[in-house]
Amino acid sequence: MRRRWMCVAGAAAVVVSTHAGAQGSKLDYRVSWTGNSLSGRSGSVLQDVADIYVTPQGDLFTNVFWDEAGGNVQQWRAGKLIGTASHTHGWGYEGGAAVAANSKYLFIAQQADNEGGGLKGSSWPAKGLTWGGVSRRTRADITRPAPFTGGVGKEGDVLQGAFLVVAEGAQGKPVGISGLAADDRRLYVSSPLEQAIRIYDAETMTPVASWPARSPGKLALDRGGRLWAILGPGPASRVWSVVQYPVEEGKTPLRLDFPRGVEPGALCFDLQNRLLVADRGADNQVKIYSASGSAMRLVGTFGVKGGIFSGPVPGKFGDKRFNRPTGIGLDGPGNVYVASSGSVAGGSTVLECYSPGGALLWRSMGLQFVDLPDADPTNVNDVYLKDKRFTLDASPQGWTYRGYTLNPYRYPEDPRLTTAPAIAFVRNVAGHKLLFTTDMTADYLSVFRFSPATDGETAIPCALFAKRHQDRGTGFLRMQPEKGEWIWTDRNGDGKFDAGETESNGARDSEGIMIPD
């Protein structure tokens, strides 16, 4: 009997067994998939999670601006997907970057437009404008609206009377809501467009107050019901902060200014009322702070410092090896929930729950979007995406997430960080394994080598073929020629675009790139 794995249709894995018999060969096969903990029949893990909220009962809610399957807002319990909010993808409405709940309602940050002027009526902004706001749902059934007087939603396939318009701006400008927090009395909303935190009555959804705030982000309520907000870097200090509100006139607020390099992605409070901050900067871990007088003091961490990029094998996926954590929460017993979303060109959600002692309780993943993977021809059980490696195996889901192949700290000029790769293929050239990536229109072809002894799972940039000058903003591939097709070769092996390493073809654009078998 011969058995082998094959990758088909970009995400499916097929195990094929051939039996020789009297009437010829019999083909046995089993179809699985890669990259998502769910099969798609009863749902799928959302892509690129932006925020989570965890209730004392252990329900985890998600949100993200875009999910191709409309699973922007999901409800998880004990590692099982138990509900999807719906009405978060289409008819002018998308998800957003924040989610919160109280005992009665779920509050979802959403963005709404009129799809280029094609949608007309009170359910959408006028042509050329975009809304940032909050959809209110019932906790008992998150698919159902919790309408209120003055709530938007009438024409079209939208929920009726349950959307609160917080900010309105020109289409293409950032109007989205960046943070939400709620208790049974108040709803708190971060509105970066207005440089304000807005407060609403959680029952009537009428405005109560507004506090000025510089670039406000994620919000959280401490055990005493006081609000805390992440504030973006100031033009002079260039550091992130967390501040307690309201700021009383004449008093110094309880405030935490982070050192440079720390990028807070989310916050919550534990059972001891300590502040937990998900650091999506280079440390990729949860930092724990406690109030000491008028100052906040670092008293501990949760997770491996450096996250998935730490040693001894950089890029190796594993417990508490986070990759750009975007959400943090605790339930009543003190279990810790962390959401990570590190990827390039979409497709990376890791939802994890750990016991108070740090043991993994459950994990669900959505790691692909429009990806076409390929198997290593020298080991067909190794499957590569543009930025990840899986192994096909006998585990219950048929695959295991092994490694993240991009290291932005060691190789900040990796082309995958500024292009939109979707297709990957692996070749063995003169005994060396090479990873190739390209986009859906084959505008360029990037090449990567491996050095497991020095770089673990990391794919090291070593060449790039481009059909034309890639105008993608200041700093993109800084050594490329001004016009025409060009090639970069990493002659000194440092993974950077250095002077003298590019060649052009007389400023002529090419018609295409041939990708050999």
Side-chain angles (χ1 to χ4, degrees), residues 146-333:
F148 50 90
T149 301
V152 169
K154 182 179 179 182
E155 305 90 355
D157 186 18
V158 301
L159 294 182
Q160 301 296 296
F163 182 75
L164 172 73
V165 178
V166 175
E168 180 182 80
Q171 197 159 1
K173 299 295 184 181
V175 300
I177 302 307
S178 57
L180 292 173
D183 57 23
D184 287 344
R185 293 182 60 250
R186 299 286 184 255
L187 169 67
Y188 302 88
V189 181
S190 284
S191 179
L193 180 69
E194 302 166 299
Q195 294 288 285
I197 296 171
R198 295 198 171 276
I199 304 98
Y200 297 86
D201 185 291
E203 194 61 45
T204 65
M205 299 294 279
T206 55
V208 174
S210 179
W211 299 326
R214 183 199 72 223
S215 303
K218 299 284 184 68
L219 304 174
L221 293 168
D222 66 20
R223 297 288 163 175
R226 292 172 292 270
L227 184 76
W228 294 69
I230 295 175
L231 301 183
S237 66
R238 292 184 292 167
V239 299
W240 294 77
S241 305
V242 171
V243 178
Q244 184 190 77
Y245 282 84
V247 178
E248 298 182 33
E249 188 174 353
K251 291 188 177 181
T252 302
L254 200 55
R255 177 189 185 99
L256 172 61
D257 292 320
F258 296 101
R260 291 187 183 182
V262 174
E263 185 181 344
L267 69 164
C268 72
F269 287 84
D270 67 8
L271 303 183
Q272 292 79 45
N273 205 32
R274 299 181 303 175
L275 173 65
L276 274 62
V277 176
D279 178 10
R280 61 189 181 190
D283 285 350
N284 282 286
Q285 65 179 170
V286 177
K287 292 180 165 62
I288 305 170
Y289 298 88
S290 182
S292 178
S294 61
M296 300 294 291
R297 182 169 56 91
L298 181 67
V299 295
T301 60
F302 184 82
V304 177
K305 185 175 183 179
I308 200 168
F309 306 102
S310 66
V313 182
K316 179 182 178 181
F317 180 72
D319 293 356
K320 292 182 282 189
R321 293 173 64 85
F322 306 130
N323 185 358
R324 196 167 176 79
T326 55
I328 179 76
L330 272 82
D331 60 18

